[in-house]
Amino acid sequence: MGRSPCCEKAHTNKGAWTKEEDERLIAYIKAHGEGCWRSLPKAAGLLRCGKSCRLRWINYLRPDLKRGNFTEEEDELIIKLHSLLGNKWSLIAGRLPGRTDNEIKNYWNTHIRRKLINRGIDPTTHRPIQESSASQDSKPIQLEPITSNNTINISFTSSSSTPKVETFQESISFPGKSEKISMLTFKEEKDERPIEEKFPDLNLELRISLPDVADRRQGLVGEGILTTPRCFNCSLGMINGMECRCGRRRCDVVGGSSGSGNGSDISNGFDFLGLAKKETTSLLGFRSLEMK
DNA sequence: AAGGGGCTCAACCGCCACGCC
DNA sequence: AGGCGTGGCGGTTGAGCCCCT
């Protein structure tokens, strides 16, 4: 027995959305809010799968989407975030207001990959292509916090291993935001041991200062998409937990983020990538930072 | 003008995580 | 604890467009 289909495929439309379908979906979400995607198509009078409705809304119809070309700043930010996170498109999208994971994924595959290859950089490993293909002897790793306001601190410390390293300091700025990531990168020298073995008591900590979300929230309220301003945690997608300060809950959410709960609140010590879903600590799960 | 190849990006598919019962 | 339903994510596909010959 295979998996049961997510919806009754025999009675659903597929392929490109028509203008009328778009209008129906927008009207329904404006009236009733996002969420409960499975029942939405029927309620909205759409012959579409709930997933398809969700995708259409998130990737195309949301009012806070930024259409148009990526800027050079956004390019560089995507590259740096990708070097840090790998193909975690939703996390990357969470740091680019108005951009969707699908959009960034497409843009990466069509533009940035080629751009990096032209620069002689392997788009997967972010290392020079010759070096990358020759060996796996150096891994870019971020370490040691650079603490100040408006800065993401990324710590990577080990008390028991002291590899010989070259260090680089790098900053990632966020377009239209005051925050930036500062990090040091080091290259290890010919150490073939797996990362867990090299850093047995690995301590990963990600924090970020309060991003400026007022403009986005204001826009949604102005559009009539949000009935009340959401608390910061809700605006980051952390809608369903103790973090919520405005009482909003899943299915009570109207409009909002791409659904990828990213971001942080430095005052509470949330992980800036929204990776610690259950445990609201600032420590990241190791799986979330797995290196590809 | 035609057609073939490459590119773009919206949409789909399958899997996984999480919450609820 | 485990099954089920649902939402979310990343990889892939394919229609439409563009450019070159």
Side-chain angles (χ1 to χ4, degrees):
Chain A
M1 287 289 283
R3 174 186 304 267
S4 62
C6 70
C7 52
E8 191 54 60
K9 296 196 181 213
H11 301 102
T12 56
N13 291 340
K14 289 173 78 172
W17 280 64
T18 65
K19 199 166 188 298
E20 189 191 349
E21 286 177 313
D22 282 348
E23 284 166 1
R24 276 177 183 264
L25 182 58
I26 291 168
Y28 183 86
I29 291 176
K30 282 196 173 184
H32 301 94
E34 274 187 52
C36 305
W37 294 107
R38 192 179 172 87
S39 57
L40 185 149
K42 194 175 177 184
L46 288 163
L47 293 174
R48 289 277 178 176
C49 157
K51 271 189 169 185
S52 180
C53 294
R54 178 181 160 272
L55 261 293
R56 183 65 177 170
W57 173 256
I58 287 173
N59 289 330
Y60 203 79
L61 299 175
R62 262 167 49 203
D64 57 330
L65 288 180
K66 185 198 290 182
R67 313 297 303 179
N69 294 338
F70 283 75
T71 65
E72 196 61 34
E73 281 180 343
E74 285 176 312
D75 275 19
E76 294 305 317
L77 178 55
I78 291 168
I79 291 167
K80 289 185 174 174
L81 287 171
H82 186 273
S83 72
L84 197 59
L85 301 165
N87 293 358
K88 303 292 182 193
W89 305 116
S90 62
L91 295 179
I92 294 171
R95 304 312 310 163
L96 285 131
R99 301 296 188 184
T100 70
D101 52 358
N102 204 38
E103 191 178 15
I104 292 171
K105 179 172 57 182
N106 283 333
Y107 189 65
W108 175 270
N109 288 326
T110 57
H111 292 90
I112 299 182
R113 278 180 69 88
R114 201 179 313 133
K115 187 173 169 178
L116 288 178
I117 288 166
N118 287 342
R119 288 182 188 174
I121 296 170
D122 185 323
T124 306
T125 63
H126 293 267
R127 290 198 294 272
I129 285 171
Q130 287 176 338
E131 180 191 338
S132 177
S133 59
S135 69
Q136 298 289 319
D137 62 352
S138 66
K139 294 176 162 58
I141 297 170
Q142 298 70 50
L143 74 163
E144 296 307 322
I146 301 162
T147 306
S148 70
N149 287 336
N150 299 326
T151 301
I152 291 169
N153 301 326
I154 298 170
S155 78
F156 192 118
T157 60
S158 170
S159 59
S160 64
S161 175
T162 53
K164 291 181 183 175
V165 297
E166 313 173 50
T167 62
F168 307 92
Q169 182 169 340
E170 245 186 315
S171 294
I172 303 175
S173 300
F174 295 94
K177 292 178 176 289
S178 56
E179 68 199 30
K180 69 178 183 184
I181 291 176
S182 297
M183 63 185 180
L184 293 174
T185 302
F186 72 80
K187 283 167 65 178
E188 301 167 64
E189 287 187 345
K190 306 278 182 189
D191 190 341
E192 300 286 344
R193 290 175 296 154
I195 193 99
E196 300 91 326
E197 195 178 318
K198 284 180 279 187
F199 304 101
D201 48 357
L202 187 62
N203 174 26
L204 290 165
E205 184 176 24
L206 297 178
R207 286 173 183 269
I208 188 175
S209 60
L210 189 70
D212 178 13
V213 295
D215 51 345
R216 206 169 156 202
R217 187 190 309 157
Q218 195 65 41
L220 289 167
V221 173
E223 289 272 349
I225 300 301
L226 274 181
T227 51
T228 56
R230 287 181 293 166
C231 71
F232 176 63
N233 298 307
C234 282
S235 75
L236 295 173
M238 294 184 284
I239 300 153
N240 207 19
M242 289 161 56
E243 303 88 352
C244 176
R245 297 176 194 156
C246 64
R248 207 171 280 274
R249 291 288 182 271
R250 195 176 295 278
C251 285
D252 182 31
V253 187
V254 279
S257 74
S258 64
S260 53
N262 312 320
S264 174
D265 179 340
I266 197 158
S267 63
N268 281 352
F270 293 126
D271 58 315
F272 92 98
L273 298 172
L275 295 169
K277 279 192 173 175
K278 278 183 170 174
E279 58 285 2
T280 56
T281 87
S282 60
L283 294 178
L284 284 161
F286 179 76
R287 188 179 180 280
S288 302
L289 281 175
E290 65 195 350
M291 303 209 180
K292 298 208 165 184

